[in-house]
Amino acid sequence: MTVLAGGAVSDVGRVRPVNQDGALSSPFLFAVADGMGGHRGGEVASALALRALGGRARYRDASDLVAVVEQANQVVHGASRDDPNVRGMGTTLCAIALVERADAGAAGAAAAGGAGGAGPERLVVVNVGDSRAYRLGADGVLEQLTVDHSLVQMLVDEGQITAEEAEHHPQRNIVTRVLGIEATVDVDVWELDVVHGERFLVCSDGLFGEVEPDRIAVELRRWADPREAARRLVDVANAAGGRDNVTCAV
Ligand code: MN
């Protein structure tokens, strides 16, 4: 049986008074949540979402994981509605899970067990918001797997600004899709083959807002121990300014 070897580090950064990010790491699941909302809202939203996701040891397939992300949305939304102290809170949620089998309903599932020696186990990435999942290929090349739900990503898609301009855009913190704000949520989902030697990073915008992708790739290649890699990435973000909470799961 395959398991994921990994570690996660979450840090308040150098400027913010509290850490509203959170992370989860287990042999079958890595997740990062970046909460938002006044008072204690952000912390509560990210913690509720991660608790909902971590309530299960293992997920059967992609649909199973997406269903629990939808439940997590209802949990955060319900708590926000019922408690005036955390009204309007929300959170990003980005996760990668090693699931038991390919999802018959998911794109590409027909290729399960095909070329590349892939077994029945699959990796599933889910995303809501502007946290990210990256894959470091066995060739050492870093690739962003998720697409941000953000205003600047929308402007890039429409051709109004370049990806380079998006990195420094004054409105780069505006998210267009968040867990907990609406009664229902659309979850982006990707299904991947399990390839030994690949490495994955799930992180909050406190990392890639401070650190260029090339530098992220350097650190991911340099540190064999995943928790050490996560710690070093957080250190690099803090050294670059640490203007936001920063969370990395490798
Ligand atoms: Mn953030």
Side-chain angles (χ1 to χ4, degrees):
M1 185 178 69
T2 310
V3 294
L4 303 171
V9 174
S10 185
D11 191 87
V12 67
R14 291 280 158 83
V15 175
R16 300 282 176 94
V18 292
N19 189 359
Q20 300 192 317
D21 283 5
L24 197 73
S25 84
S26 83
F28 302 109
L29 178 71
F30 290 82
V32 165
D34 179 346
M36 52 208 73
H39 303 286
R40 292 182 53 246
E43 290 159 87
V44 172
S46 57
L48 284 175
L50 290 171
R51 194 187 305 159
L53 204 62
R56 293 261 299 276
R58 193 154 194 203
Y59 290 93
R60 196 173 60 246
D61 54 26
S63 306
D64 193 24
L65 180 62
V66 168
V68 173
V69 174
E70 290 168 348
Q71 282 168 22
N73 180 74
Q74 288 170 8
V75 168
V76 176
H77 185 251
S80 163
R81 191 190 49 216
D82 297 342
D83 182 353
N85 292 313
V86 294
R87 190 149 292 157
M89 68 177 172
T91 184
T92 73
L93 187 61
C94 186
I96 181 161
L98 183 68
V99 301
E100 289 165 5
R101 58 176 170 78
D103 188 338
E121 292 176 318
R122 282 302 192 82
L123 288 164
V124 176
V125 175
V126 286
N127 185 54
V128 177
D130 69 345
S131 297
R132 289 182 182 172
Y134 291 90
R135 169 171 55 196
L136 187 76
D139 56 2
V141 175
L142 187 71
E143 176 194 3
Q144 185 180 330
L145 297 173
T146 50
V147 180
D148 298 347
H149 301 133
S150 65
L151 177 70
V152 290
Q153 179 65 47
M154 228 165 70
L155 294 175
V156 169
D157 292 345
E158 289 171 359
Q160 296 193 35
I161 61 171
T162 66
E164 170 86 273
E165 286 167 339
E167 283 177 29
H168 308 285
H169 198 280
Q171 290 177 304
R172 64 186 178 279
N173 290 326
I174 296 178
V175 284
T176 50
R177 205 191 296 177
V178 181
L179 204 86
I181 299 292
E182 307 279 344
T184 60
V185 70
D186 277 335
V187 183
D188 286 354
V189 53
W190 295 264
E191 205 176 313
L192 311 168
D193 286 334
V194 176
V195 178
H196 290 275
E198 287 187 347
R199 183 168 244 198
F200 294 86
L201 166 68
V202 183
C203 61
S204 65
D205 63 339
L207 177 69
F208 57 82
E210 299 285 13
V211 185
E212 299 294 325
D214 287 352
R215 181 66 195 278
I216 293 174
V218 165
E219 299 299 329
L220 284 174
R221 289 191 294 259
R222 181 175 291 166
W223 310 102
D225 176 62
R227 193 167 191 286
E228 177 76 11
R231 174 81 255 168
R232 299 286 180 158
L233 285 166
V234 166
D235 289 347
V236 172
N238 279 333
R243 283 163 288 188
D244 193 3
N245 304 148
V246 54
T247 303
C248 298
V250 176

XYZ file of all heavy atoms in Angstrom, residues 16 21 34 204-206 244-245, ligand 1:
62
model
N 1.460 40.089 10.543
C 0.102 39.858 11.048
C 0.129 39.493 12.537
O 1.047 38.817 12.988
C -0.567 38.727 10.257
C -0.696 39.002 8.762
C -1.848 39.945 8.489
N -1.922 40.296 7.075
C -2.678 39.657 6.178
N -3.408 38.626 6.545
N -2.703 40.050 4.928
N -4.196 30.896 9.086
C -3.960 29.716 8.244
C -4.006 28.467 9.117
O -3.856 28.546 10.336
C -2.559 29.750 7.627
C -2.423 30.696 6.447
O -3.377 31.427 6.137
O -1.324 30.698 5.847
N -6.695 28.895 4.449
C -6.311 30.286 4.735
C -7.600 31.044 5.037
O -8.360 31.375 4.139
C -5.583 30.846 3.507
C -5.153 32.298 3.669
O -5.628 32.990 4.605
O -4.347 32.756 2.830
N -0.335 28.274 1.225
C -1.166 29.475 1.221
C -0.454 30.578 0.447
O 0.739 30.471 0.120
C -1.472 29.918 2.650
O -0.294 30.307 3.322
N -1.165 31.664 0.155
C -0.592 32.744 -0.663
C 0.528 33.488 0.063
O 1.275 34.230 -0.562
C -1.683 33.723 -1.134
C -2.379 34.442 0.012
O -2.348 33.949 1.153
O -2.975 35.509 -0.242
N 0.649 33.255 1.372
C 1.771 33.826 2.107
C 3.115 33.308 1.610
O 4.145 33.961 1.801
N 2.260 38.029 5.192
C 1.008 37.294 5.424
C 1.353 36.044 6.233
O 2.516 35.672 6.339
C 0.403 36.919 4.067
C -1.050 36.441 4.160
O -1.623 36.447 5.276
O -1.594 36.062 3.105
N 0.346 35.409 6.789
C 0.537 34.093 7.377
C 1.045 33.183 6.255
O 0.637 33.330 5.100
C -0.797 33.517 7.875
C -1.524 34.412 8.861
O -2.744 34.424 8.887
N -0.807 35.170 9.672
Mn -3.097 34.434 3.019
